[in-house]
Amino acid sequence: MNSTPSSSDPTPPEGAHGDAAQAHPDFGHIRSFVHRRSHITAGQQEALDLLMPKWAVPYRNAPLKFEQVFGRQAPTVLEIGFGMGETTEKIALARPDDNFLGVEVFNSGVGSMLKRIEASQLQNLRIIQHDAVEVVRDMIAPDSLAGVHIYFPDPWPKKRHHKRRLVQPPFVQLLASRLRPGGYIHCATDWEHYAHQMLEVLGGEPLLENTSEGFAPRPDFRPLTKFENRGLRLGHGVWDLIFRRKGQ
């Protein structure tokens, strides 16, 4: 199943997702990833060199106009930490009427996702390679998102590192403010302790309400990855949480 990047490998293993968030004192958020010497394939580097202008949106301190980014008006879902892009590609293909904006920091993941977008000619998927907290704070207007996906973020399993976890109250409060009424946050993790922390944090945000009694069944739109299937065969658990912003 997903694992934390080791000290010798800064790139999330295939199937694991980078959190795409750094330290920001105004959100009380501790850096949740560490850049080290990157391992990247020639194909991923070529995609970065050639395809970023076509499919990526540069960071800027100004709210995005989704209709300009995607060339249409449609519900827009933000995915934080898409890893190597397998799940994101499948969801975007299965939901052509929705726009997807993926945020990732690792070069290998961004290069891989660019290759997927180009191969599938996904018109409803764009990338931002930047810190997620800054993207949400500066580029996403309040009350604008139809949804947020956070799938298998780095669990930082050691207790002394729990403060580095992405799902913390200040960031969830920020995310909730960017959802339109009725919009959702969908998290998934294969670390039980982190699952319960997510449940507590999301449940403590006044703008959100749980769509289930506790954890949610995996929705059909989130496909099982080969790593998740392997973990399930080994008896590992996976926990989904789906919260909605209150109001209509």
Side-chain angles (χ1 to χ4, degrees), residues 113-132:
M113 187 75 259
L114 288 168
K115 290 173 63 179
R116 292 177 186 274
I117 296 173
E118 182 72 9
S120 299
Q121 286 296 296
L122 281 168
Q123 302 300 316
N124 63 333
L125 178 55
R126 297 291 186 274
I127 290 173
I128 301 177
Q129 186 177 17
H130 197 76
D131 163 50

Side-chain angles (χ1 to χ4, degrees), residues 18-179:
D19 288 350
Q22 301 184 53
H24 288 278
D26 47 341
F27 292 109
H29 189 73
I30 305 297
R31 186 183 182 99
S32 66
F33 67 89
V34 179
H35 278 303
R36 308 181 187 94
R37 181 179 299 175
S38 180
H39 299 277
I40 186 169
T41 68
Q44 291 165 353
Q45 185 61 58
E46 183 180 22
L48 287 169
D49 294 339
L50 298 179
L51 300 177
M52 284 290 281
K54 185 176 182 180
W55 301 114
V57 179
Y59 166 79
R60 61 178 184 174
N61 188 2
L64 287 176
K65 295 182 178 179
F66 296 142
E67 64 273 15
Q68 293 181 0
V69 172
F70 293 95
R72 65 173 186 172
Q73 289 189 334
T76 299
V77 176
L78 178 72
E79 177 159 359
I80 297 174
F82 54 73
M84 305 307 285
E86 174 191 4
T87 296
T88 310
E89 179 189 25
K90 289 180 178 178
I91 294 175
L93 284 168
R95 293 170 57 176
D97 294 333
D98 294 330
N99 296 330
F100 293 89
L101 185 63
V103 179
E104 180 58 78
V105 292
F106 293 103
N107 282 336
S108 58
V110 172
S112 176
M113 187 75 259
L114 288 168
K115 290 173 63 179
R116 292 177 186 274
I117 296 173
E118 182 72 9
S120 299
Q121 286 296 296
L122 281 168
Q123 302 300 316
N124 63 333
L125 178 55
R126 297 291 186 274
I127 290 173
I128 301 177
Q129 186 177 17
H130 197 76
D131 163 50
V133 174
E134 289 189 353
V135 169
V136 176
R137 182 190 65 192
D138 301 333
M139 299 184 71
I140 307 299
D143 308 321
S144 64
L145 292 173
V148 175
H149 295 170
I150 305 176
Y151 296 154
F152 304 98
D154 193 325
W156 292 102
K158 294 182 180 179
K159 186 175 181 180
R160 68 177 184 272
H161 291 155
H162 286 178
K163 61 188 177 183
R164 295 182 179 271
R165 289 175 170 176
L166 181 66
V167 180
Q168 305 281 359
F171 189 48
V172 167
Q173 181 183 41
L174 176 66
L175 287 174
S177 74
R178 268 45 180 177
L179 288 173

Side-chain angles (χ1 to χ4, degrees), residues 169-219:
F171 189 48
V172 167
Q173 181 183 41
L174 176 66
L175 287 174
S177 74
R178 268 45 180 177
L179 288 173
R180 67 189 189 189
Y184 69 91
I185 295 180
H186 179 202
C187 299
T189 182
D190 55 354
W191 285 78
E192 185 173 10
H193 183 275
Y194 199 3
H196 285 282
Q197 177 181 328
M198 289 177 174
L199 187 62
E200 180 180 356
V201 171
L202 291 166
E205 170 50 51
L207 288 177
L208 300 176
E209 58 186 0
N210 199 343
T211 64
S212 301
E213 293 293 331
F215 299 107
R218 179 182 64 85

